[in-house]
Amino acid sequence: MAAIYGEANIGRYGTADWAETPDLPVVVTPASAATASITLTAAQDAGGNTLPWFETVTTVSGTNLFKGAIFNVAGLKIVDCSGIETEVPIQVVVLSANGAGTSGTISPLRIAQHGETGNNPNAWVATGTSTLTLTYALGTSKTYVVNEVRTKDCFAYDTYQFDVLPGSQDEMVSTVGGSSVKMRIFGDGTNLDKLVRIDSTYASSLFEPREAALIYVEA
């Protein structure tokens, strides 16, 4: 961790390496509490028969929705990556919201009833469930510092390179842990300026949310 974060390296908490970084957001909640609801649509087979799982849920509707809003969901629990139903409750996080705060996107929920495995579920509910109740989990007019704990395997990271810029001098400055820093030097002939650009190009994604825990700390 010291090699990656330098002086920002903090250490370990339990079994997790952790570091402080300034590019994680701070969530400021509005004065009015948000509300949200999820519509469950039972899946059907080709013959129109109702199946014991639901169509994938990717949106919520409500009021005062904003990016970062969190809701508790009564009776909704995680199916782990090996397909085992757990007793760990799921909290729904709004990833983006429209300007009116009436619709928001969430990480996809593939919900099945207890004991069912259709549609590769990542969440389960009791048999016979047809609706879900969401309860706002944050305070109003509060500031929360965002933290995250995740496994190494749930985070995908890769590097790539830009094409060579015509008329420039390109140089690989350094490569650390598979991530490269590239420097380009080029000129503005009109003003006789020498310009230097440094890029660190990469792509990253948290592709398995079940392997990560989002933590809000009230400031």
Side-chain angles (χ1 to χ4, degrees), residues 3 7 14 22-23 38-39 47 51 87 102 126 132 139 149 151 168 200 215:
E7 293 182 357
D23 52 2
I38 286 176
T39 300
L51 301 171
E87 292 299 318
T102 57
L132 294 175
V149 176
T151 65
S168 68
S200 177
I215 304 169

Side-chain angles (χ1 to χ4, degrees), residues 1-16:
M1 298 300 291
I4 298 174
Y5 293 104
E7 293 182 357
N9 176 48
I10 302 299
R12 294 175 66 86
Y13 180 78
T15 60

Side-chain angles (χ1 to χ4, degrees), residues 71-193:
F71 296 88
N72 296 320
V73 187
L76 185 65
K77 300 174 184 178
I78 290 176
V79 176
D80 70 17
C81 294
S82 61
I84 297 174
E85 295 178 354
T86 74
E87 292 299 318
V88 179
I90 288 180
Q91 289 179 301
V92 169
V93 181
V94 177
L95 304 179
S96 64
N98 64 358
T102 57
S103 178
T105 61
I106 62 173
S107 184
L109 288 173
R110 303 183 302 275
I111 304 170
Q113 296 189 33
H114 175 57
E116 302 295 336
T117 59
N119 198 29
N120 184 27
N122 57 11
W124 70 278
V125 290
T127 302
T129 298
S130 59
T131 61
L132 294 175
T133 300
L134 278 65
T135 306
Y136 188 50
L138 303 177
T140 56
S141 301
K142 300 287 187 180
T143 298
Y144 295 92
V145 179
V146 177
N147 298 264
E148 181 190 64
V149 176
R150 57 176 170 81
T151 65
K152 293 180 179 179
D153 294 338
C154 78
F155 188 74
Y157 177 89
D158 199 4
T159 60
Y160 60 96
Q161 295 297 329
F162 290 133
D163 292 335
V164 174
L165 182 66
S168 68
Q169 175 186 342
D170 288 49
E171 180 181 349
M172 296 303 299
V173 178
S174 179
T175 300
V176 178
S179 182
S180 299
V181 176
K182 189 171 186 177
M183 181 175 68
R184 294 174 176 82
I185 302 174
F186 52 99
D188 179 355
T190 302
N191 300 303
L192 297 180
D193 289 333

